[in-house]
Amino acid sequence: MEQAKIRLFVEDDLAEGAVLNLAAQAHYLTNVMRLQAGALVALFNGRDGEWTARLVEAGKRRVTAECLGQAVGQGMPPDLWLLFAPIKKARTDFIVEKATEMGARRIQPVFTRFTNSERVRPDKLRAHCIEAAEQCGGVYVPELLAPTPLDKLLDTWPADRRLMFCDETADGMDAMGALTAAGGDKWAIIIGPEGGFATEEAERLRALSQSVPVSLGPRILRADTAAVAAMALWQVACGDWRV
Amino acid sequence: MEQAKIRLFVEDDLAEGAVLNLAAQAHYLTNVMRLQAGALVALFNGRDGEWTARLVEAGKRRVTAECLGQAVGQGMPPDLWLLFAPIKKARTDFIVEKATEMGARRIQPVFTRFTNSERVRPDKLRAHCIEAAEQCGGVYVPELLAPTPLDKLLDTWPADRRLMFCDETADGMDAMGALTAAGGDKWAIIIGPEGGFATEEAERLRALSQSVPVSLGPRILRADTAAVAAMALWQVACGDWRV
């Protein structure tokens, strides 16, 4: 089958013969990309894999598409959560985009003692996740949770979920060894705020029995850099980059 | 000794008793940070390590500082070059910032067949490197080379420098195993443009005897994400994050 060049996330169910209303994407499809009736698009909704669909109508206001067949099954990324303390807007957007590309299943903003920004717009962040999923060829959009205080989250931390904790005092630790040795298939990575964790927070994180402290080298990384670097190490050691 | 909170890159030599003219940073030091004479700052120039200095004058126009003592010796990051095809401005700035934090020694923009942006402002990029080095606590600012066509660069590629090539067709390869097995202490990482390498370029890269193809997982990564992820894997396998 001819290959669709444009990938779109939709909320509707996808199944053979289903006709979807793409009104929300009409401007993009007809004005920006200049698609006409008959053009193929790839659609995914995070549940039904990726479907090849053909535009039936491609008007200024009304765009519809019919699902022809499933091109990719619904794979799931590994069971990895990314916890991060919201930072300046551009970098928060960036973290959310990167978490999607790097294959996080859930994104959880956390408020720490030194979190500067308390303004998180979940709807905007979700739009970044969707755009990143459309671009990266994934069929999954991470679940984006409402921000929660770190203390509250740790009070009920699941016993079977390991927590990779990027510990600035863990220099010289064997990151890959620690991740591989910890094992398990439920994980989270926590990235601290710009000013680092407060002493009590770092102590609580270290004391948690599910915690796996890992060093990210001798230089201080910004939170957004640390998020990508930590997810890369985790994916290679425990996730779907592993051979 | 009391600890300086502000780190500044300077061009001058640093040595005990040296008095530096910080005119270029006067606005930042006196208006933004409101430092006064007697305040400590940390200075580095990429050659003499990090020095603690005391502000002697802290006027609106004239700021001078006297070097008191070396706080950190001049360490060098591993001999890693980052080659990347310039992309949209914000993401190019980001790659340069991340390369500094992640400990690249040299940054080399390359023009490939599908490189979209040919506008690279080396002076602006260097400013991003400097700012990142000030933030990340490093004492080294990567050398930033003028953009060069990829073909020309490969024509004279050094025999003893390995090239980590993020190959989208290498899915299922053992990245860490390939990096560790290749060994050597001179390396480069090459990150392709948004549209990927042209077929001939990918073939030439694969055919190069110094080339080490590596997979970055099942999702397509944007160039800036790929740069951070690749540097993280390399640092853990071969660089200064290795135990």
Side-chain angles (χ1 to χ4, degrees), chain B residues 191-226:
Chain B
I191 303 292
E194 298 274 291
F197 292 107
T199 310
E200 319 85 79
E201 289 172 332
E203 276 168 10
R204 186 160 184 208
L205 283 169
R206 258 179 236 118
L208 199 73
S209 65
Q210 299 92 322
S211 165
V212 181
V214 162
S215 159
L216 296 179
R219 286 161 296 274
I220 300 162
L221 304 183
R222 284 182 195 257
D224 51 353
T225 319

Short mmCIF file of all heavy atoms in Angstrom, two decimals, chain B residues 191-226:
data_model
loop_
_atom_site.label_atom_id
_atom_site.label_comp_id
_atom_site.label_asym_id
_atom_site.label_seq_id
_atom_site.Cartn_x
_atom_site.Cartn_y
_atom_site.Cartn_z
N ILE B 191 25.26 13.25 14.15
CA ILE B 191 23.79 13.30 14.23
C ILE B 191 23.28 13.85 12.91
O ILE B 191 23.71 14.93 12.49
CB ILE B 191 23.35 14.23 15.37
CG1 ILE B 191 23.95 13.81 16.71
CG2 ILE B 191 21.83 14.35 15.44
CD1 ILE B 191 23.42 12.50 17.25
N GLY B 192 22.39 13.14 12.27
CA GLY B 192 21.88 13.55 10.96
C GLY B 192 20.88 14.69 11.04
O GLY B 192 20.45 15.08 12.13
N PRO B 193 20.50 15.22 9.89
CA PRO B 193 19.52 16.31 9.83
C PRO B 193 18.10 15.76 10.03
O PRO B 193 17.91 14.54 10.09
CB PRO B 193 19.70 16.86 8.43
CG PRO B 193 20.12 15.68 7.63
CD PRO B 193 20.92 14.81 8.55
N GLU B 194 17.14 16.66 10.11
CA GLU B 194 15.73 16.28 10.34
C GLU B 194 15.25 15.21 9.35
O GLU B 194 14.62 14.26 9.72
CB GLU B 194 14.81 17.50 10.23
CG GLU B 194 15.09 18.58 11.25
CD GLU B 194 14.37 18.37 12.58
OE1 GLU B 194 13.15 18.51 12.60
OE2 GLU B 194 15.04 18.09 13.60
N GLY B 195 15.61 15.37 8.08
CA GLY B 195 15.13 14.42 7.08
C GLY B 195 15.98 13.16 6.99
O GLY B 195 15.77 12.33 6.11
N GLY B 196 16.96 13.02 7.88
CA GLY B 196 17.85 11.87 7.83
C GLY B 196 18.96 12.10 6.81
O GLY B 196 18.97 13.10 6.10
N PHE B 197 19.89 11.16 6.76
CA PHE B 197 20.95 11.23 5.76
C PHE B 197 20.40 10.79 4.40
O PHE B 197 19.47 9.98 4.33
CB PHE B 197 22.11 10.30 6.13
CG PHE B 197 22.86 10.73 7.35
CD1 PHE B 197 22.73 10.04 8.55
CD2 PHE B 197 23.71 11.83 7.31
CE1 PHE B 197 23.42 10.44 9.68
CE2 PHE B 197 24.39 12.24 8.45
CZ PHE B 197 24.26 11.55 9.63
N ALA B 198 20.98 11.30 3.33
CA ALA B 198 20.67 10.78 2.00
C ALA B 198 21.24 9.36 1.91
O ALA B 198 22.17 9.02 2.64
CB ALA B 198 21.30 11.68 0.93
N THR B 199 20.68 8.54 1.04
CA THR B 199 21.11 7.14 0.94
C THR B 199 22.63 7.03 0.73
O THR B 199 23.30 6.24 1.41
CB THR B 199 20.38 6.45 -0.24
OG1 THR B 199 18.99 6.71 -0.09
CG2 THR B 199 20.59 4.95 -0.22
N GLU B 200 23.17 7.84 -0.18
CA GLU B 200 24.62 7.78 -0.45
C GLU B 200 25.43 8.16 0.79
O GLU B 200 26.48 7.59 1.05
CB GLU B 200 25.05 8.75 -1.57
CG GLU B 200 24.12 8.84 -2.74
CD GLU B 200 22.98 9.83 -2.48
OE1 GLU B 200 23.20 11.05 -2.59
OE2 GLU B 200 21.85 9.36 -2.17
N GLU B 201 24.91 9.16 1.54
CA GLU B 201 25.63 9.58 2.75
C GLU B 201 25.64 8.47 3.78
O GLU B 201 26.67 8.18 4.39
CB GLU B 201 24.96 10.82 3.35
CG GLU B 201 25.16 12.08 2.54
CD GLU B 201 24.32 13.25 3.06
OE1 GLU B 201 23.23 13.01 3.65
OE2 GLU B 201 24.73 14.39 2.84
N ALA B 202 24.47 7.84 3.99
CA ALA B 202 24.39 6.76 4.97
C ALA B 202 25.30 5.61 4.55
O ALA B 202 25.99 5.01 5.38
CB ALA B 202 22.95 6.29 5.12
N GLU B 203 25.34 5.32 3.24
CA GLU B 203 26.21 4.23 2.77
C GLU B 203 27.67 4.56 2.99
O GLU B 203 28.46 3.72 3.41
CB GLU B 203 25.95 3.97 1.28
CG GLU B 203 24.75 3.04 1.10
CD GLU B 203 24.27 2.96 -0.34
OE1 GLU B 203 24.97 3.47 -1.25
OE2 GLU B 203 23.17 2.41 -0.55
N ARG B 204 28.02 5.82 2.72
CA ARG B 204 29.42 6.21 2.91
C ARG B 204 29.79 6.13 4.40
O ARG B 204 30.89 5.67 4.75
CB ARG B 204 29.62 7.64 2.38
CG ARG B 204 31.05 8.03 2.44
CD ARG B 204 31.45 9.17 1.54
NE ARG B 204 32.89 9.33 1.67
CZ ARG B 204 33.53 10.47 1.50
NH1 ARG B 204 32.88 11.55 1.12
NH2 ARG B 204 34.84 10.51 1.68
N LEU B 205 28.89 6.57 5.26
CA LEU B 205 29.16 6.51 6.70
C LEU B 205 29.31 5.06 7.16
O LEU B 205 30.20 4.74 7.94
CB LEU B 205 28.02 7.18 7.48
CG LEU B 205 28.04 8.71 7.47
CD1 LEU B 205 26.73 9.28 8.02
CD2 LEU B 205 29.22 9.23 8.29
N ARG B 206 28.42 4.19 6.65
CA ARG B 206 28.47 2.79 7.06
C ARG B 206 29.76 2.12 6.58
O ARG B 206 30.32 1.27 7.25
CB ARG B 206 27.26 2.02 6.50
CG ARG B 206 26.18 1.79 7.53
CD ARG B 206 24.99 1.05 6.94
NE ARG B 206 23.78 1.83 7.15
CZ ARG B 206 23.01 2.31 6.19
NH1 ARG B 206 23.30 2.09 4.91
NH2 ARG B 206 21.95 3.01 6.51
N ALA B 207 30.22 2.55 5.38
CA ALA B 207 31.39 1.90 4.77
C ALA B 207 32.71 2.34 5.41
O ALA B 207 33.73 1.67 5.29
CB ALA B 207 31.42 2.21 3.27
N LEU B 208 32.70 3.46 6.09
CA LEU B 208 33.91 4.01 6.71
C LEU B 208 34.43 3.02 7.75
O LEU B 208 33.67 2.59 8.61
CB LEU B 208 33.54 5.34 7.37
CG LEU B 208 34.65 6.31 7.71
CD1 LEU B 208 35.19 6.97 6.42
CD2 LEU B 208 34.13 7.40 8.66
N SER B 209 35.73 2.69 7.69
CA SER B 209 36.22 1.66 8.62
C SER B 209 36.19 2.16 10.07
O SER B 209 36.12 1.38 11.00
CB SER B 209 37.62 1.21 8.23
OG SER B 209 38.51 2.28 8.39
N GLN B 210 36.24 3.47 10.27
CA GLN B 210 36.22 4.03 11.63
C GLN B 210 34.80 4.08 12.21
O GLN B 210 34.61 4.44 13.38
CB GLN B 210 36.78 5.46 11.66
CG GLN B 210 38.22 5.59 11.21
CD GLN B 210 38.30 5.90 9.72
OE1 GLN B 210 37.51 5.36 8.93
NE2 GLN B 210 39.25 6.72 9.32
N SER B 211 33.81 3.75 11.38
CA SER B 211 32.42 3.95 11.77
C SER B 211 31.91 2.88 12.73
O SER B 211 32.19 1.69 12.57
CB SER B 211 31.60 3.98 10.48
OG SER B 211 30.26 3.84 10.74
N VAL B 212 31.17 3.31 13.75
CA VAL B 212 30.55 2.39 14.71
C VAL B 212 29.04 2.68 14.70
O VAL B 212 28.57 3.59 15.37
CB VAL B 212 31.12 2.59 16.13
CG1 VAL B 212 30.48 1.62 17.12
CG2 VAL B 212 32.64 2.44 16.14
N PRO B 213 28.26 1.91 13.90
CA PRO B 213 26.82 2.17 13.84
C PRO B 213 26.15 1.75 15.15
O PRO B 213 26.50 0.73 15.73
CB PRO B 213 26.33 1.31 12.68
CG PRO B 213 27.48 0.50 12.22
CD PRO B 213 28.67 0.79 13.05
N VAL B 214 25.23 2.58 15.59
CA VAL B 214 24.56 2.36 16.87
C VAL B 214 23.08 2.67 16.70
O VAL B 214 22.72 3.61 16.00
CB VAL B 214 25.20 3.27 17.95
CG1 VAL B 214 24.32 3.42 19.16
CG2 VAL B 214 26.58 2.75 18.34
N SER B 215 22.23 1.89 17.34
CA SER B 215 20.79 2.17 17.30
C SER B 215 20.39 3.01 18.50
O SER B 215 20.86 2.79 19.61
CB SER B 215 20.01 0.85 17.32
OG SER B 215 18.69 1.09 17.75
N LEU B 216 19.51 3.97 18.28
CA LEU B 216 18.93 4.74 19.38
C LEU B 216 17.45 4.38 19.53
O LEU B 216 16.59 5.26 19.64
CB LEU B 216 19.11 6.24 19.16
CG LEU B 216 20.56 6.76 19.14
CD1 LEU B 216 20.60 8.26 18.89
CD2 LEU B 216 21.30 6.44 20.43
N GLY B 217 17.16 3.09 19.52
CA GLY B 217 15.82 2.63 19.86
C GLY B 217 14.81 2.66 18.74
O GLY B 217 15.12 3.10 17.63
N PRO B 218 13.58 2.22 19.04
CA PRO B 218 12.57 2.02 18.00
C PRO B 218 11.82 3.28 17.57
O PRO B 218 11.13 3.25 16.55
CB PRO B 218 11.60 1.03 18.64
CG PRO B 218 11.73 1.27 20.11
CD PRO B 218 13.15 1.69 20.35
N ARG B 219 11.92 4.36 18.34
CA ARG B 219 11.23 5.59 17.93
C ARG B 219 12.20 6.51 17.18
O ARG B 219 13.39 6.48 17.39
CB ARG B 219 10.65 6.31 19.15
CG ARG B 219 9.41 5.63 19.75
CD ARG B 219 9.13 6.05 21.17
NE ARG B 219 10.21 5.62 22.05
CZ ARG B 219 10.28 4.41 22.62
NH1 ARG B 219 9.33 3.53 22.43
NH2 ARG B 219 11.31 4.10 23.38
N ILE B 220 11.63 7.36 16.30
CA ILE B 220 12.45 8.32 15.59
C ILE B 220 12.71 9.49 16.53
O ILE B 220 11.77 10.07 17.06
CB ILE B 220 11.73 8.83 14.32
CG1 ILE B 220 11.43 7.64 13.39
CG2 ILE B 220 12.54 9.89 13.61
CD1 ILE B 220 10.37 7.95 12.34
N LEU B 221 13.98 9.83 16.74
CA LEU B 221 14.30 10.94 17.63
C LEU B 221 14.58 12.19 16.81
O LEU B 221 15.18 12.13 15.74
CB LEU B 221 15.53 10.61 18.48
CG LEU B 221 15.44 9.34 19.32
CD1 LEU B 221 16.72 9.19 20.14
CD2 LEU B 221 14.23 9.35 20.23
N ARG B 222 14.16 13.34 17.31
CA ARG B 222 14.58 14.59 16.70
C ARG B 222 16.10 14.70 16.86
O ARG B 222 16.68 14.10 17.76
CB ARG B 222 13.93 15.78 17.42
CG ARG B 222 12.47 15.97 17.06
CD ARG B 222 11.98 17.20 17.81
NE ARG B 222 10.55 17.29 17.84
CZ ARG B 222 9.83 18.10 17.07
NH1 ARG B 222 10.43 18.89 16.19
NH2 ARG B 222 8.53 18.14 17.18
N ALA B 223 16.71 15.54 16.04
CA ALA B 223 18.18 15.64 16.07
C ALA B 223 18.68 16.08 17.44
O ALA B 223 19.69 15.56 17.93
CB ALA B 223 18.64 16.62 14.99
N ASP B 224 17.98 17.00 18.09
CA ASP B 224 18.48 17.47 19.39
C ASP B 224 18.36 16.40 20.46
O ASP B 224 19.26 16.24 21.31
CB ASP B 224 17.82 18.80 19.80
CG ASP B 224 16.30 18.77 19.74
OD1 ASP B 224 15.72 17.78 19.26
OD2 ASP B 224 15.68 19.75 20.19
N THR B 225 17.29 15.62 20.42
CA THR B 225 17.13 14.51 21.36
C THR B 225 18.22 13.46 21.12
O THR B 225 18.84 12.95 22.06
CB THR B 225 15.76 13.82 21.17
OG1 THR B 225 14.77 14.81 20.95
CG2 THR B 225 15.40 12.98 22.36
N ALA B 226 18.42 13.14 19.84
CA ALA B 226 19.41 12.13 19.48
C ALA B 226 20.81 12.55 19.95
O ALA B 226 21.58 11.71 20.42
CB ALA B 226 19.41 11.91 17.97
#
